[in-house]
């Protein structure tokens, strides 16, 4: 194991929590900063967007951010922590739809029919930037970069669900899931190889359409193959290329 920690211990993963930026710099995990900076917008030009932001939270583990059927008035950008979205059927069975990291947005699937079609729950202490969607829509109409970024976020939301379709093995699903998490963390300035699995094994299994026992077996096998190091929820990807090869059919090029 590539660590200076005592044998059997992983170093604590860096806490993925955003800062607040300053007068000239965006929050480190701002959901819109990358798109806006890329076309030359900075904080002075985006004062209107900044005025739309309301910091909310912290939500504790298990708290609802919103519930199925709640009126849709805002989208939520995760500042720090992790969120899962899920639906519960008439028999009380839960289906996990996704997990959201700092810098990612939840609530976009409520634009139509103007109420939230799922629950969103904090998996750990979680904070958000909340954007009034009517005000955001008006701003997007004046600022093409914001509008285009919203479209990209919507497209990504639809594409993520399709990754789980088809006949893929448990190893393929798990490898792709771990690689995807790493890529998403890395894209937001955090470690892409060392992070916490804030979700339970049961939630991972539910999301990947696998049995919980299967998830445990696959993780144990990946650890024995030295693809990962895992202690509790602390995860280190030791062989990213090896994992990518296993999950290549589910990972975008």
């Amino acid at each position: 194991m590539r660590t200076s920690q005592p044998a059997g211990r992983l170093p604590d993963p860096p806490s993925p929590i955003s800062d607040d930026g300053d007068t000239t710099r965006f929050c480190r995990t701002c959901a819109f900063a990358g798109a806006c900076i890329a076309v030359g917008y900075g904080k002075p030009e985006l004062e209107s967007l900044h005025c739309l932001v309301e910091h909310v939270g912290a939500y504790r583990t298990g708290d609802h951010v919103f519930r199925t059927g709640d009126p849709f008035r805002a989208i939520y950008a995760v500042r720090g922590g992790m969120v899962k979205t899920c639906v519960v059927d008439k028999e009380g069975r839960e289906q996990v739809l996704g997990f959201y990291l700092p810098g990612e947005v939840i609530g976009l699937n409520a634009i139509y029919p103007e109420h939230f079609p799922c629950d969103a729950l904090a998996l750990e202490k979680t904070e958000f930037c909340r954007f009034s969607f009517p005000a955001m829509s008006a701003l997007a109409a004046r600022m093409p970069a914001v509008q285009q970024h919203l479209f990209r976020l919507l497209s990504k939301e639809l594409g993520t669900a399709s990754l789980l379709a088809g006949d893929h093995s448990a190893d393929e699903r798990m490898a792709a899931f771990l690689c995807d998490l790493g890529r998403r963390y890395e894209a937001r300035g955090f470690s892409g190889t060392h992070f916490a699995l804030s979700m339970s094994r049961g939630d991972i299994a539910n999301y990947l359409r696998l049995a919980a026992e299967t998830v445990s077996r696959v993780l144990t096998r990946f650890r024995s193959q030295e693809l990962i190091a895992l202690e509790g929820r602390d995860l280190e990807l030791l062989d990213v290329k090896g994992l990518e090869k296993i999950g290549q059919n589910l990972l975008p090029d």
Side-chain angles (χ1 to χ4, degrees), residues 164-240:
L164 297 175
D167 184 18
H168 299 283
S169 70
D171 283 26
E172 287 177 299
R173 290 173 187 261
M174 180 58 69
F177 174 72
L178 297 178
C179 289
D180 177 65
L181 277 179
R183 290 177 180 183
R184 288 157 62 192
Y185 273 126
E186 185 174 28
R188 284 152 186 84
F190 305 113
S191 172
T193 58
H194 183 206
F195 46 85
L197 290 177
S198 299
M199 67 291 287
S200 68
R201 302 290 191 270
D203 279 345
I204 295 173
N206 189 311
Y207 176 66
L208 296 178
R209 316 305 193 254
L210 300 170
E213 296 81 4
T214 302
V215 165
S216 294
R217 284 197 299 269
V218 173
L219 289 173
T220 298
R221 182 161 57 251
F222 283 180
R223 185 164 52 184
S224 68
Q225 294 170 341
E226 298 187 345
L227 294 168
I228 64 172
L230 181 65
E231 181 185 343
R233 296 189 177 185
D234 291 345
L235 175 74
E236 185 176 3
L237 307 184
L238 300 176
D239 185 357
V240 174

Side-chain angles (χ1 to χ4, degrees), residues 135-154:
M136 172 68 78
S137 297
L139 180 64
R142 303 196 310 270
M143 300 182 68
V146 175
Q147 184 181 66
Q148 291 168 14
H149 191 57
L150 281 172
F151 289 156
R152 281 195 293 270
L153 291 172
L154 280 167

Side-chain angles (χ1 to χ4, degrees), residues 60-108:
R60 295 172 299 180
T61 302
D63 283 352
H64 277 83
V65 183
F66 52 75
R67 297 176 185 268
T68 302
D70 285 351
F72 171 62
R73 300 190 180 97
I75 58 175
Y76 295 77
V78 182
R79 294 182 63 227
M82 183 180 289
V83 179
K84 77 170 179 179
T85 55
C86 60
V87 293
V88 180
D89 65 20
K90 294 179 180 179
E91 285 71 44
R93 293 172 299 196
E94 181 182 272
Q95 178 64 66
V96 176
L97 302 178
F99 304 103
Y100 295 82
L101 314 179
E104 298 181 340
V105 175
I106 59 173
L108 291 168

Side-chain angles (χ1 to χ4, degrees), residues 12-28:
D12 292 334
S15 176
I17 187 76
S18 68
D19 55 32
D20 289 324
D22 54 34
T23 56
T24 60
R25 180 173 55 87
F26 289 93
C27 298
R28 182 155 53 107

